[in-house]
Amino acid sequence: MSSITGNITATELARNLSDTIDSVKASGQSLLITRGGRPAATLSPPPKPGLTVDELVEHLSTMPSLGNDSASFAEDVKTARSNNSLPDSPWD
């Protein structure tokens, strides 16, 4: 989650909305929007896609086990890695 690293008045935000949004998105930092010198809202970048580590661990724990097929799967991966060439392009 991003932390609030600066503040901007509502008037300043209204005058510079596009640039301010671009800045927040690029920096990944949130801004506190003030009105009349008091906090009114925050402007934050969108959440990053993907899973948190805890969510990944939970997801992996619910996946089925390969069981007896794990050795065969490992061999298939090894074979695929050793055959990692692409066919010749007819346009070359």
Side-chain angles (χ1 to χ4, degrees), residues 17-88:
L17 183 60
S18 184
D19 288 341
T20 303
I21 289 173
D22 290 344
S23 176
V24 166
K25 182 179 177 188
S27 71
Q29 302 297 315
S30 296
L31 284 177
L32 177 65
I33 302 166
T34 60
R35 178 176 273 166
R38 303 179 107 184
T42 58
L43 178 63
S44 300
K48 293 181 181 178
L51 301 173
T52 64
V53 172
D54 290 338
E55 291 169 333
L56 178 60
V57 168
E58 182 180 339
H59 181 69
L60 292 174
S61 70
T62 63
M63 293 180 68
S65 170
L66 288 175
N68 295 337
D69 293 331
S70 62
S72 174
F73 178 73
E75 191 59 37
D76 288 345
V77 170
K78 183 178 177 182
T79 300
R81 285 183 174 168
S82 66
N83 297 326
N84 63 358
S85 62
L86 296 173
D88 292 334

